[in-house]
Amino acid sequence: MNDKIDQFLKRALQFLRKHISRKHPDIAYYFLIFLSLVICVIGLNLFVELTDELLEEGLKIYDDAVTEYVIAFRSPGLTSFFKIITFFGGVNGYLTVTVLVAVFLILKFRHWQFTLQLMGVVVLAGLSNVVLKRFIDRPRPAIEHLVVVESLSYPSGHAMCAMAYYGFLTYLFFHIKMARWLRAILCVLFVSFIFLIGLSRIYLGVHFPTDVLGGFIAGIIWLAFCIILFNIISLYRRKKARRDPSEKEENLE
């Protein structure tokens, strides 16, 4: 598998060097697409290897050890905190954040482009998670659950969607003009949400640590795929605008 990845990356680099120069007007788009493609390929390899290990129960000892360590910190106050955190990894949490982001984008830029993309990322990530859960069919941990769950365990839907959704928000805010201090605060907040949502699922007893790890990897893959897709669409619009100057491309920067 690693040899195939190396060959793929070498061919992709050769293609870029042959067809795309540093002075090309769309070099930033091509570079971002290439980088996201690399992340997709490496992520898929990691996810497959992790899933194989789980099916052979090769990581059970680590799951048990990490779970015991995390739930040892259970307390009423911490439980309330993690229930709030896990809310932002669920449907109602995403709706709340999406409305806030939509209001911000409309007031500042007066369009829905990125809001629709954001909704598409999390909805499709959620649907793909359902398919993965049914295919892998791993039961939930046999410990006390502090929240109600009904679906299967691997990969964690909360972890996968959090990585895709808040990861895309982080990517999005690097493409919006704003004060650096505000961008830094928001990006730290989003990254913290990703980590804490994953941790909350272990603490609440509804996921194994490897469920969360698998969810993070699957979320990164989906995030990278969406970035590739959206940048290809932007490239098409830029080329179309250059052919027809009367059509102006909609940019945030």
Side-chain angles (χ1 to χ4, degrees):
M1 179 70 75
N2 290 330
D3 291 338
K4 291 181 179 179
I5 292 176
D6 290 339
Q7 292 177 3
F8 169 79
L9 295 180
K10 288 179 181 178
R11 291 176 181 175
L13 280 172
Q14 289 174 356
F15 175 84
L16 286 176
R17 289 172 180 170
K18 182 177 180 180
H19 297 281
I20 309 296
S21 68
R22 294 182 180 179
K23 296 181 180 180
H24 195 285
D26 299 324
I27 184 63
Y29 289 90
Y30 285 111
F31 175 77
L32 194 54
I33 290 171
F34 172 73
L35 181 61
S36 299
L37 191 58
V38 170
I39 293 173
C40 271
V41 173
I42 295 176
L44 281 170
N45 184 42
L46 290 174
F47 187 81
V48 170
E49 291 184 359
L50 175 63
T51 305
D52 287 342
E53 287 291 328
L54 290 180
L55 294 176
E56 296 174 3
E57 297 191 351
L59 300 174
K60 186 177 185 303
I61 186 172
Y62 301 105
D63 269 337
D64 293 342
V66 174
T67 299
E68 289 179 8
Y69 178 79
V70 172
I71 65 175
F73 290 92
R74 282 181 173 178
S75 67
L78 204 53
T79 298
S80 298
F81 170 76
F82 276 121
K83 284 184 177 180
I84 294 172
I85 289 296
T86 210
F87 166 82
F88 287 99
V91 175
N92 292 332
Y94 291 128
L95 288 174
T96 302
V97 177
T98 300
V99 169
L100 294 175
V101 171
V103 171
F104 171 75
L105 291 175
I106 291 171
L107 291 177
K108 188 171 179 63
F109 303 108
R110 301 189 184 283
H111 68 77
W112 288 79
Q113 176 189 351
F114 282 139
T115 304
L116 294 175
Q117 290 179 355
L118 184 62
M119 292 173 62
V121 168
V122 71
V123 169
L124 294 177
L127 292 175
S128 62
N129 179 261
V130 172
V131 174
L132 288 171
K133 282 179 182 290
R134 291 183 177 179
F135 178 76
I136 298 168
D137 195 28
R138 188 188 196 189
R140 297 273 182 175
I143 59 175
E144 181 186 7
H145 296 173
L146 301 184
V147 291
V148 177
V149 289
E150 297 179 355
S151 61
L152 295 166
S153 193
Y154 180 86
S156 166
H158 274 66
M160 181 174 174
C161 291
M163 179 62 74
Y165 184 89
Y166 293 108
F168 186 76
L169 269 180
T170 303
Y171 162 81
L172 170 61
F173 278 24
F174 270 98
H175 287 71
I176 293 177
K177 284 186 177 180
M178 62 173 61
R180 290 184 178 180
W181 64 266
L182 178 58
R183 178 185 289 129
I185 290 175
L186 289 172
C187 289
V188 169
L189 178 64
F190 297 147
V191 172
S192 298
F193 264 16
I194 293 171
F195 171 76
L196 289 173
I197 287 171
L199 181 60
S200 74
R201 306 309 285 172
I202 303 171
Y203 177 91
L204 296 171
V206 294
H207 277 296
F208 296 103
T210 45
D211 294 338
V212 173
L213 178 59
F216 282 160
I217 295 173
I220 290 175
I221 295 170
W222 189 252
L223 171 62
F225 173 79
C226 289
I227 290 175
I228 291 172
L229 178 62
F230 296 147
N231 276 276
I232 288 175
I233 293 173
S234 294
L235 268 175
Y236 171 78
R237 289 176 176 172
R238 283 172 64 88
K239 291 180 178 179
K240 186 176 180 181
R242 284 198 292 266
R243 289 195 300 267
D244 185 359
S246 63
E247 294 187 16
K248 295 183 178 180
E249 180 193 10
E250 189 173 18
N251 284 321
L252 292 187
E253 293 189 319

